[in-house]
Amino acid sequence: MPLALARVAGKLAQRAAGDGSDASTSRAIAPERRKRLALVAFTLVHGVGFTALRLNSNDLTRSETSRSTARTLFALFTLAVTSFARVLGSDPGYVSGAEMADAERLLEEAAEPGSGCARCDTSSTPLRARHCRVCDKCVRKFDHHCFWVGTCVGERNHGRFWMFLAAQTAHAAYGTFVALTGIVGATVNHSTWREVFDDNVGSALAVGYLNLMLLFVMFLLVFHSYLLLSGQTTWEVSAQKRVTYLKDLPSGSKPFDEGAVANVSAACYPASIPRTWRVPSLAALEAKANDQTFFQNDRYSCF
């Protein structure tokens, strides 16, 4: 059951963020246009949130405490913008021609190459790479194509994407808190909830909008935290039985898991030289399955 929930979560996250992994058709969009669309979406989402907060009739900026609240909100917004700028249009780890040639060599040597790519006209690609129809390129350690940041999430920017989600979650959570204080504070001066709502429509709208935003980014943050800690990708979790190098492995296998610390380090500080992945033998996977980890041990199992 937990594994099934993880796959459902993966599919929801993939659709919510935008997939773009179907190599059979091409919807290639120029990089600059992808960045502009992401900027427009980011501006609209945060613009609506700030507008709703400004409509709050219990204006908290009149007191010293409220000024501190506003400064904190602005600091978190600055963090969100900075993290967005770092991942916007970033290189997810596009596969170069040299890597394609190396994958062809591995195929000839009967090693562990990935499947071929019809769009790139190659019989083999590096393991864990997948073609994105939006970027029209193969991406190493492909996770998904994200409309919100105007690029794919892959080997070189998965850590940046996680930091973006963390900053967005913190900003949305604090914004929700600020909006809620407008409503709760209004109860002091009103005898009924009807009066509170009538005088605080802005706060009510802000609470509803920011809660939706918070739930969306928090869900993605939790799911991608799990992916980073376990060395997996959205594509691998949500479509294990369709992924060539995973479909014959036992259900719930994590063949590329090197431990939480190493997994997070590799995602947040990717090496300049592309990583060459190998699928462990069944014996190695069985031995790893007996290891005591946070996700699976003698007391409980997440799978």
Side-chain angles (χ1 to χ4, degrees):
M1 180 64 72
L3 180 58
L5 290 175
R7 287 178 179 168
V8 171
K11 290 179 180 179
L12 289 174
Q14 197 173 27
R15 292 183 180 182
D19 181 4
S21 60
D22 185 2
S24 63
T25 59
S26 177
R27 298 182 185 176
I29 301 176
E32 288 305 315
R33 187 184 176 193
R34 295 199 305 267
K35 290 176 66 174
R36 286 196 298 269
L37 290 173
L39 277 169
V40 169
F42 183 86
T43 302
L44 286 175
V45 168
H46 286 274
V48 171
F50 274 120
T51 300
L53 284 175
R54 290 298 298 171
L55 289 175
N56 187 345
S57 62
N58 287 278
D59 188 2
L60 300 179
T61 60
R62 297 173 184 171
S63 67
E64 183 62 34
T65 302
S66 300
R67 284 194 291 274
S68 175
T69 298
R71 285 194 293 267
T72 302
L73 187 63
F74 179 76
L76 289 174
F77 176 68
T78 302
L79 179 63
V81 171
T82 302
S83 64
F84 175 71
R86 291 186 71 244
V87 73
L88 176 65
S90 58
D91 177 15
Y94 293 121
V95 181
S96 65
E99 289 175 81
M100 289 291 193
D102 188 54
E104 297 278 4
R105 178 184 59 78
L106 290 174
L107 180 62
E108 293 175 359
E109 296 174 359
E112 283 278 4
S115 58
C117 177
R119 295 291 306 173
C120 296
D121 194 25
T122 60
S123 59
S124 184
T125 57
L127 200 67
R128 305 190 81 182
R130 184 168 174 80
H131 191 88
C132 172
R133 68 175 183 266
V134 181
C135 298
D136 200 24
K137 295 180 181 179
C138 284
V139 178
R140 298 194 304 271
K141 195 183 172 185
F142 177 85
D143 188 272
H144 70 283
H145 183 89
C146 183
F147 164 81
W148 300 102
V149 296
T151 187
C152 279
V153 175
E155 185 172 279
R156 294 201 59 79
N157 66 354
H158 202 166
R160 292 187 180 192
F161 182 71
W162 183 91
M163 293 176 191
F164 165 68
L165 293 177
Q168 290 293 313
T169 299
H171 181 234
Y174 198 76
T176 302
F177 163 74
V178 172
L180 280 171
T181 58
I183 293 179
V184 174
T187 59
V188 177
N189 302 318
H190 298 81
S191 58
T192 67
W193 281 106
R194 178 66 183 180
E195 292 179 358
V196 171
F197 180 79
D198 288 342
D199 289 343
N200 295 273
V201 176
S203 292
L205 291 175
V207 169
Y209 179 82
L210 292 171
N211 266 292
L212 289 175
M213 180 180 173
L214 176 60
L215 289 174
F216 176 74
V217 294
M218 184 179 292
F219 170 79
L220 289 176
L221 175 64
V222 170
F223 180 65
H224 280 274
S225 296
Y226 163 71
L227 293 179
L228 259 64
L229 287 168
S230 58
Q232 301 181 94
T233 67
T234 298
W235 168 245
E236 291 169 346
V237 169
S238 62
Q240 181 180 357
K241 295 305 179 183
R242 290 190 287 138
V243 179
T244 306
Y245 52 87
L246 294 180
K247 63 182 181 181
D248 295 327
L249 299 181
S251 181
S253 295
K254 301 188 292 297
F256 309 110
D257 182 10
E258 300 176 331
V261 175
N263 294 335
V264 172
S265 178
C268 295
Y269 305 100
S272 56
I273 301 175
R275 177 75 180 269
T276 300
W277 297 97
R278 296 284 188 275
V279 176
S281 64
L282 288 177
L285 288 175
E286 290 175 357
K288 183 186 292 186
N290 294 326
D291 292 341
Q292 301 293 303
T293 67
F294 175 82
F295 301 106
Q296 186 165 337
N297 50 62
D298 291 338
R299 296 187 178 182
Y300 63 87
S301 173
C302 296
F303 309 101

